Each structure stands twice: as structure tokens, then as C-alpha cells.
Amino acid sequence: MDTHNPQATVEQSAVVPLRPPHQVMRLSRLGSFHQTRLSFMRVLLRRLINEQWRFKRSQWQVDRQGVGHAVYTAIGPGHSYSLIAFAHDLDPSLRSDRVIAEAWDATFTLFDGVPTSADIERLKANVPLQEAGRISETELSLSRANRSVRLFNYVRKTLAAGLQPEQAQLDAIGYLMRTTAVYGSGKFGAVDRKFVASRAELSAPFQAELLAVFMIRQFSIDIVEHLAFSDNPETAVPLAPSLARGLGIGNSTGLGMAPFLVNHPTLLNNWILARETALARVRSVAAAEKSKVALFRHFLSRQMISVADWKTEHEYQQQKVLGLRDDLHRLSKKIDEIADSSESYLWNRVYNWAERTLTEEGQECVVTLLLEIYPELTDELADTLSIDEDARFKIDGTCTVEQVLALIEKHYAFALANDYSADAQQALFWYASEEKLEPRLGRRFDESGADREHPLAIARDVAALANALTSIDATVTLAEFLLLAPEHRHVVRRILQIQSHPYAEIADNLIADGMLPIDLLRCKLAFFGAVKFDPRSDRWLRITLFQHAPLVADLDEHRNRPFAVSEGVIPGSIDSWVYPPDQHAV
Amino acid sequence: MNTAPSFAIGEVESLVLKAYRGAGFSWGMAQEAGKAAAWLTAKRLPALDAFAALLNQIADLTHEQLSPNIKSSSWPERWVGSSTLLCPVVCGAFLSDLGPAVVEKESTVTLTSVASPLILLPFVATLGVPLTLRMTNAEVSVDGDVIAPFPVYETVAGKLDVVLQLAVQRAASIGDKTEQAGRGSDISLMRGTGNVASIKLLQALAHQTYVPATQESRESGAGAGLSDND
């Protein structure tokens, strides 16, 4: 289903325009994005809470060694979805975070409905094989996870001895298991998104994948408790819910995810446009109510706790986190300074001050906080995050060379600014490896394979197109040009799309020497709702999902006693769990 | 295993895209091929067999050789290539780019010696006007997403002249059964499949897009060389 362009309706009353694409779409800024109310994980949790979804663990056939399967079913108003988990006894020498691993501690699929025993038998023969198996049109995702060995074993031993684990030990890692891939639409035989996207609960991006991860989190808690009880049934205790809530699911993400944003330009546009539209709305609020200022302070203090707890060994990210800590302290002081003034457009002043004063990490964190305190201006934009990409695929070949050149000039200054005859501007090339069919990044002048380069070098290819177009008659149509020069077709398609999708392009050279793929990953993962980005190199990182989120049992509790999800719930902000609990909350 | 698996439409699109690229054509044209295969699959038409047959037929020919010659005196009422074949992806994308004007101006447009002409249908569907495609043993009307009557694959395969003409009535009014197949709620209807030989051929071509790993590339890959027992 298509979604309307929110710009038209919003901007009538707004005084602050959207930030321009050439500012927003730089890699360094995209690589500084934080989760927001529009992040897909939060969209999902809001729905689960508002629609009072029920969860049921209907099967638990796991032996004392932790081998077997379990079924969890999420029951919504229209459909039910079941996570089928296969638990394995993995040889530690085979434990690898890399997507190219071939064995895991646990493997999962999200089933559409409630599986029969025949379904489970079929999936048992396939899901543990992951990429080497086949799933079908009744499955929505395929994924796997490994234990965080240190924390998992510690929690297991502690619970077996009848004790609760130390909070500090849990905080140091934040999850019992981490996923290494979560495949969705159409992958390895799974149902195509287009056949389920009309269901309200699956209409926003990646909802099926994230619903699976939410239930995987519960599985990770259940399996550690199960093993603790197997170890010592006499003394073992379950994990205290308050500690369990602080555990999310880890995730390792590498280059495989990086091309997604480039391969889905109109979808990327909608993600960014929703976020920018929300920001413009908040900046356009003329009179900030006192309660909103208090909320801002509240979330800022909780964000400071989260950032204080953000650990990474990668120098690039360490510097960024240090800058962000400093930024948030300055922001706190700034708010104290100006909160009581009677001047209007407080939030716009805060944002403008941030843009002048803070690092990009800090600026984008301010964006997150501003959206946080205005659910009434932000949340409805979740309905605009998806797009029917096929509807924008067709090229209008009646456009002339002159018109295309004008579009390039208007939207692609970043592409024309580089000299691609310099090796540094073409140092890298994207390709798919034969070994695991995974996207990779090679060094053009040192490695073979550049003849099989993937079409992700948008800046270079746009510049080449501009060059070709300037040498021919301005009135020639695209249809004729492309018949004779098909090598330009992939960029022409993008250039025509950008007219109506201004945030479709990343405004940087993705093959330049020193380009950081982790910026691409960070952007996408922030839209998922990840926190605590922990790069392990410039090509992959670890993150945490659903940390501090309500547990499955909390959702049940909430159905009976609304607004009791966890401590610190703010009216109108029922899903504020993503920020760590603040003992001194307002 | 002799029975081919049931493929998601996304898998069909991706396989055909890579196979077309692997056969030596541009990425942009390969995207057209993939999208066309997805459209055909959604209509329960044998996209994988048709594309395997096409790539078999046009092996060793270039985009230029498979293109209509627009400098020819018979253009645009008669599309003739410089080789013995026209490619339905090249002609289809060109037709889609030109828009309906080209068929509205002429009483008929004839594409000569089109390989695997079934593959023209998804491109004709983008034109926004109802068109009839006449071949030796088949006549099919395409009106956006509606096809009538449902073509028998053998009659729209091989190498055929295709005569395009504006249809006298909207295909939707013919009340054809494929509309239900294309838009129904039973998702099992919209899966791709094909002959094992077709799939093997496409996979072999798709393989041409991959870069063999080297020790160096393994070591520079994401996460390489790190223990995960932490």
C-alpha cells in the first residue's frame, strides 16, 4: 500500500522547514543517528501494548542439555504469529558471530499462525541449517543466535546456586544471546512482504523480524533458567523480572546490511522524511508548555545514564561517545538557562543552538529527545515509513537530456564534486562473495573482482552519466539515450526518483578511500531502534535491541493494569522503556 | 532432487536479475529483467523457464545486437535488430520508456523475431493503455495488471514476430480468471517455480556475478579473525 507524502499537510502550519537533504544525508550525520519514537522496534512495541497482544509459550520440549524446541505464540487482534526456536548444543569451537558461520546455539523461524506438528517436523529439518535450508510461504523470518558465553554461564551458575546475578555484571554485556542474522521477506523461501504488508501489524518496516527478536529475548531468558534448573533442581531460582528487563538481545551486523540503504532509495527517503517531518513539527511549536520542558529534562537525564553506560573499544566510536557525553552536559545547562524565558519557539532555539555548538552525535541526540516529548506530533508518522517501491520503478523515457542534467545539478552536487580519476575517490568496490554470497568491500587497486562490482558507486556513476549527457543534443529523449547507453540505466532510475523523494540518496562517495561502512550500518540500526552501537572494526558492529523493554509477562500484566508496565512510565509516553530507568524520575 | 523448490517472488526477481547481469548485460537492464520476472510470477506465468530460454537464445549476443535499429527506414512500425533476434527485455524496456505514444501513432507496431516473447507482457503492462499482442498461435490482451486470455506458454515461447495494437476494449471487461490469480488472497498461488534445468542455467549465470574469495578478502571481511566465545 502506498503512503501519502506527509509534507503537504504538515508544512501549512509549520514555520520551520525540513532540513535540506545535503545536510541530513551525509554519511557522518547518518552515522550519528540515534533511535527515536519512529524506530521500528518502538512502533512494534507500541502496537503490542495498545492492541493488548497476548503471548503464550505453548511448547517447551528441551532436554537437560538444552537441546530441543520451543514454540511461543503472539496473539493479536487479527493474526497470531509463532516463534519456533530450536535449541542446540554447540561446540564452542564453532561459535562465530560471523554471518558465514554454519552452526549456532539456537535457530529460529517466525511462523504465520500456529504450527502443526507436521510444520515443526518440516522446519526442524530446515531451520537449523539456516541458509542451507528452505522455509516456505507460511514463514516470515529465519534467524539464529549465539550465547554471550561469559554472561550466559555466569547467570546460569548463579541461578542454579539459588542466587540472583549482580546488576553490574548484567549491565556490562546487556544480553544473554546475540543474533547474527535475521532474514525476512522472501529470503530462503519465506513469504514475500507484499503478501502480508497489508496487515496493520506488519505494515511498518521489519515488524515481523523484530517481533521474532522480541520473542527470542524471552527464549534467551527461559533457556538460561531451564539450564540452571537442570544443573541443580533443588536450589535453582528464576531470574528476577527487574533484572530480566535489563537484558535485551545483542546483534552483530556486518557489511551484509550496508547496501540495503543504497538499494532501496525511495524507502530510505520515507524513513528520513518521517523523522525530518517530526523534527520540523516540534521546532515549529511556538509555545513550549512547562510540562514538556520537564519531560525533556527527564528524558535527557535518562539518556545521560544510557550514554554513560555506552561501552566501545573502537576509537572512532569512543571519540564520538566522549563528545556526546560532553554535549549532553552542555545541553542540560543550556536548558536550565533558557527554559524559563518567555521567548517563543524554545525547541527551535534549542535545536539551532545544538547545530551551532554540538557534535553531530549530540545534534542527532537532540533530535531524538525532541521527538520523544512530542508523541502527538511524531507517532502518526509511523504510518508513512513504508512504500510501494515497485510503483516508482518505471523510467519516464520521454524526459529529455536537458531535464536529466537539470536534476543532476539540483540534487547531486555531492557526486559532481569529486575527481574520479584520482585513485582515492575510487579506492573501494562493492561486490558479492562467491563463498557466502554476502556483500563485501574490496580494494579496487589491490584486489581482483572489480569487473564484478555492484552498482552502489552512485556518486561516481552519476558523474559519468552527467559527462555522457553533456556531449549529446539536449533534446534527445531518455528512451533513445538509454537504448544506446544501457550502462547508465540504473542511475537514471534513481535520478528520476529523487524528484519526489528528496532524501533518497546518501550524499557521499561510497567508494572513496576512508569511507566508513559502520556509518551506513548505524543509520539503519538506529531506525530499527538499536542502542549502544559498538563497532568492532570499521566494517561491523554489535548493538543491543529491546534492553529494558517490557517482558512478555509485563504485557500480560499491563492488559489487566494499564500503565503498570515498568517504573517511570510517563503518561502519553507509554513506551519510554528504551531509556534506562531513572531512580530520580520526575 | 528433481522437483524444483517453490521460490518466493523476491527470490525469482533476484535470481533473474543476477542471471541477466551474469550474462553480460548492464545492471539497469538486469533490474528490468528481475522486475519483469517478478511480475510474470505474480501472474502464475513461468518466468524462470522463459528467462532461462531467453538467456539460452541470446548467449553471445550484445545489448546492441539485440536492440531494434531506430535508424532503419521501417522504424517505428517495424522493429528489426541487427542480429537475427530481438531481446524482449531490451525491446520491452524501450517500449516502456517510449510510453504509449509509439503505439497510439501507428495502427500496428511489429517487433520481428522476438526471443521468448512472453517476457514482453510486463513491459506492455506499464504503458497505461490496453494493448493486444498477436503472435502466430496466440493473441493476448494486456491492460495494466490484467491479462486475457491467460496465454499457453508454448504459444508465447521460442522466436516470434509480435504485432502490437491498441485493444478495442479494456481487458478487464473480458472478465478473465488470471485477475483473481494475480490478486487473490491465497499466497500459495504466487510462488515461482520452473524446470530444474532452467533453474540450473539461471544459477550458473547468476554465479558469474560473484567474486571468488581469496585469503586476503577472507581476512578483511567483517568480523574476521575474532573469537566469539565472549
Side-chain angles (χ1 to χ4, degrees):
Chain A
M1 196 188 71
D2 198 0
T3 49
H4 71 287
N5 178 340
Q7 255 175 286
T9 45
V10 180
E11 266 42 74
Q12 288 163 1
S13 58
V15 291
V16 177
L18 301 180
R19 297 191 294 181
H22 65 79
Q23 178 188 16
V24 179
M25 301 306 290
R26 299 305 302 263
L27 260 187
S28 66
R29 184 172 296 276
L30 298 174
S32 300
F33 275 19
H34 300 263
Q35 66 79 34
T36 70
R37 301 188 65 84
L38 294 170
S39 292
F40 313 145
M41 194 173 77
R42 297 189 59 189
V43 172
L44 173 71
L45 260 275
R46 278 202 295 274
R47 179 178 296 278
L48 298 182
I49 294 168
N50 292 336
E51 294 183 352
Q52 308 201 342
W53 284 57
R54 289 183 296 125
F55 287 82
K56 193 167 83 177
R57 190 178 89 179
S58 54
Q59 291 191 42
W60 182 265
Q61 297 182 22
V62 181
D63 69 17
R64 289 173 54 89
Q65 274 66 50
V67 178
H69 77 268
V71 178
Y72 296 79
T73 302
I75 303 158
H79 291 90
S80 295
Y81 302 90
S82 298
L83 179 81
I84 306 173
F86 297 97
H88 311 292
D89 187 14
L90 180 65
D91 178 345
S93 69
L94 297 177
R95 188 172 286 113
S96 170
D97 263 16
R98 301 191 64 189
V99 72
I100 62 171
E102 287 174 348
W104 303 271
D105 284 318
T107 52
F108 310 92
T109 187
L110 187 71
F111 184 88
D112 191 2
V114 178
T116 63
S117 52
D119 288 321
I120 290 176
E121 285 309 308
R122 171 175 59 84
L123 293 165
K124 191 183 283 179
N126 284 281
V127 171
L129 303 177
Q130 295 285 295
E131 292 92 338
R134 291 289 298 171
I135 52 175
S136 77
E137 63 268 32
T138 51
E139 285 83 55
L140 294 118
S141 82
L142 179 71
S143 56
R144 65 292 191 99
N146 283 336
R147 295 173 190 164
S148 165
V149 179
R150 254 183 301 137
L151 187 62
F152 192 96
N153 289 346
Y154 163 71
V155 173
R156 175 178 175 171
K157 269 185 207 150
T158 318
L159 294 179
L163 303 169
Q164 290 297 326
E166 296 287 326
Q167 180 79 60
Q169 299 265 4
L170 300 182
D171 289 348
I173 293 179
Y175 51 81
L176 291 168
M177 299 188 95
R178 57 179 170 260
T179 55
T180 62
V182 183
Y183 297 109
S185 172
K187 296 284 161 52
F188 306 104
V191 68
D192 289 290
R193 175 175 161 78
K194 67 167 101 178
F195 300 128
V196 292
S198 61
R199 301 181 194 176
E201 66 272 21
L202 299 181
S203 64
F206 296 102
Q207 298 296 284
E209 291 89 334
L210 289 165
L211 178 60
V213 173
F214 181 63
M215 290 194 276
I216 289 171
R217 172 182 182 238
Q218 185 62 46
F219 169 82
S220 75
I221 295 163
D222 290 353
I223 189 90
V224 80
E225 289 181 349
H226 172 88
L227 288 168
F229 274 91
S230 300
D231 292 344
N232 198 338
E234 303 297 316
T235 55
V237 291
L239 184 61
S242 60
L243 294 174
R245 261 178 226 121
L247 293 172
I249 279 289
N251 172 273
S252 290
T253 291
L255 289 177
M257 191 184 258
F260 184 92
L261 296 177
V262 188
N263 284 331
H264 298 274
T266 55
L267 183 62
L268 174 63
N269 172 80
N270 278 22
W271 297 2
I272 306 278
L273 180 61
R275 195 175 176 277
E276 293 302 317
T277 302
L279 174 63
R281 287 179 177 182
V282 177
R283 290 173 66 189
S284 302
V285 170
E289 293 166 32
K290 286 231 168 352
S291 62
K292 293 291 190 187
V293 177
L295 263 187
F296 189 91
R297 284 198 172 110
H298 169 82
F299 283 112
L300 173 57
S301 75
R302 285 170 70 181
Q303 179 69 13
M304 288 165 94
I305 298 170
S306 177
V307 174
D309 203 26
W310 184 346
K311 296 173 193 73
T312 176
E313 286 171 22
H314 198 264
E315 207 202 325
Y316 171 72
Q317 191 58 46
Q318 273 178 352
Q319 290 307 313
K320 291 179 70 162
V321 173
L322 285 176
L324 179 57
R325 285 182 189 146
D326 189 43
D327 286 345
L328 295 182
H329 282 112
R330 296 165 77 172
L331 176 60
S332 181
K333 277 191 202 145
K334 185 71 187 174
I335 292 294
D336 290 344
E337 255 172 63
I338 66 174
D340 294 329
S341 88
S342 56
E343 280 183 68
S344 52
Y345 297 101
L346 175 70
W347 303 124
N348 193 40
R349 285 160 59 216
V350 169
Y351 175 80
N352 286 335
W353 168 84
E355 198 174 284
R356 285 193 309 272
T357 320
L358 307 183
T359 66
E360 283 178 312
E361 278 274 357
Q363 293 171 33
E364 295 310 309
C365 197
V366 168
V367 173
T368 287
L369 292 169
L370 290 177
L371 269 51
E372 195 61 51
I373 61 173
Y374 281 95
E376 64 276 27
L377 299 181
T378 303
D379 292 359
E380 63 174 6
L381 292 165
D383 294 339
T384 68
L385 292 167
S386 293
I387 194 165
D388 177 0
E389 293 177 285
D390 286 357
R392 275 92 187 157
F393 182 78
K394 182 181 156 65
I395 287 175
D396 178 3
T398 62
C399 289
T400 62
V401 161
E402 191 174 25
Q403 289 170 311
V404 178
L405 279 171
L407 284 174
I408 294 176
E409 205 164 302
K410 183 171 175 201
H411 297 284
Y412 288 88
F414 70 90
L416 302 181
N418 305 318
D419 172 10
Y420 297 95
S421 65
D423 286 2
Q425 294 296 342
Q426 281 214 74
L428 307 174
F429 70 99
W430 293 88
Y431 67 94
S433 80
E434 183 183 52
E435 209 164 44
K436 271 290 178 172
L437 315 184
E438 269 290 299
R440 282 175 187 267
L441 201 49
R443 295 201 66 85
R444 186 181 310 274
F445 303 107
D446 306 326
E447 291 175 52
S448 57
D451 55 324
R452 296 180 176 192
E453 180 171 14
H454 276 219
L456 300 170
I458 306 305
R460 180 200 61 192
D461 294 353
V462 168
L465 170 67
N467 202 29
L469 291 176
T470 42
S471 62
I472 59 173
D473 182 346
T475 61
V476 168
T477 63
L478 264 184
E480 193 178 324
F481 171 75
L482 289 174
L483 181 68
L484 303 173
E487 66 274 19
H488 295 298
R489 194 172 184 88
H490 68 284
V491 281
V492 164
R493 196 185 321 278
R494 306 178 72 95
I495 291 165
L496 298 182
Q497 289 172 340
I498 208 170
Q499 297 178 83
S500 51
H501 300 82
Y503 298 105
E505 287 296 7
I506 294 165
D508 259 300
N509 177 8
L510 299 179
I511 55 167
D513 204 9
M515 187 275 303
L516 292 173
I518 44 175
D519 285 336
L520 290 166
L521 304 178
R522 161 90 179 254
C523 172
K524 190 178 177 206
L525 291 165
F527 273 105
F528 273 52
V531 295
K532 297 185 179 163
F533 306 93
D534 177 17
R536 314 294 281 194
S537 82
D538 58 8
R539 294 180 176 205
W540 73 288
L541 46 71
R542 285 185 181 161
I543 49 144
T544 313
L545 294 166
F546 291 116
Q547 194 175 14
H548 305 296
L551 299 167
V552 161
D554 294 328
L555 295 185
D556 284 332
E557 173 98 346
H558 172 69
R559 266 205 319 285
N560 303 323
R561 277 195 307 127
F563 299 108
V565 172
S566 63
E567 316 95 77
V569 166
I570 307 293
S573 182
I574 196 167
D575 61 339
S576 66
W577 54 267
V578 78
Y579 303 88
D582 180 358
Q583 309 312 332
H584 316 289
V586 285
Chain B
M1 190 171 82
N2 278 325
T3 41
S6 134
F7 290 104
I9 292 182
E11 289 179 295
V12 170
E13 177 173 345
S14 165
L15 176 58
V16 168
L17 186 159
K18 285 186 236 170
Y20 199 82
R21 170 66 182 168
F25 301 99
S26 77
W27 280 110
M29 291 305 295
Q31 290 164 346
E32 300 286 346
K35 205 57 85 183
W39 189 93
L40 290 168
T41 304
K43 302 283 174 286
R44 271 194 312 163
L45 287 162
L48 294 171
D49 290 339
F51 270 95
L54 171 68
L55 290 168
N56 228 345
Q57 285 171 286
I58 66 175
D60 306 324
L61 293 172
T62 63
H63 177 96
E64 190 184 354
Q65 289 168 319
L66 292 161
S67 300
N69 178 3
I70 56 172
K71 302 277 187 268
S72 134
S73 59
S74 67
W75 169 265
E77 56 278 29
R78 212 174 154 75
W79 295 25
V80 183
S82 64
S83 72
T84 55
L85 281 176
L86 284 177
C87 172
V89 181
V90 174
C91 292
F94 186 42
L95 193 61
S96 170
D97 290 354
L98 289 168
V102 67
V103 280
E104 284 165 347
K105 276 183 208 142
E106 309 292 330
S107 57
T108 60
V109 170
T110 303
L111 281 57
T112 61
S113 302
V114 181
S116 295
L118 172 68
I119 295 171
L120 285 174
L121 266 54
F123 297 99
V124 170
T126 69
L127 292 176
V129 293
L131 273 191
T132 300
L133 294 81
R134 254 197 345 268
M135 289 149 276
T136 320
N137 292 311
E139 186 171 313
V140 183
S141 290
V142 178
D143 185 3
D145 269 351
V146 181
I147 314 165
F150 194 78
V152 175
Y153 177 56
E154 289 68 27
T155 66
V156 288
K159 178 174 92 168
L160 296 169
D161 286 359
V162 181
V163 181
L164 300 178
Q165 192 174 12
L166 282 177
V168 285
Q169 57 176 330
R170 309 296 293 200
S173 64
I174 304 169
D176 105 276
K177 62 173 183 176
T178 59
E179 186 184 11
Q180 289 170 353
R183 295 178 186 169
S185 57
D186 185 352
I187 54 170
S188 69
L189 290 176
M190 283 165 299
R191 300 286 286 187
T193 190
N195 296 319
V196 171
S198 299
I199 291 160
K200 276 195 175 150
L201 182 137
L202 294 170
Q203 284 172 337
L205 285 169
H207 205 82
Q208 299 297 312
T209 62
Y210 303 133
V211 177
T214 59
Q215 197 51 37
E216 189 186 7
S217 71
R218 285 192 195 104
E219 282 165 11
S220 68
L226 293 163
S227 162
D228 297 301
N229 286 303
D230 61 349

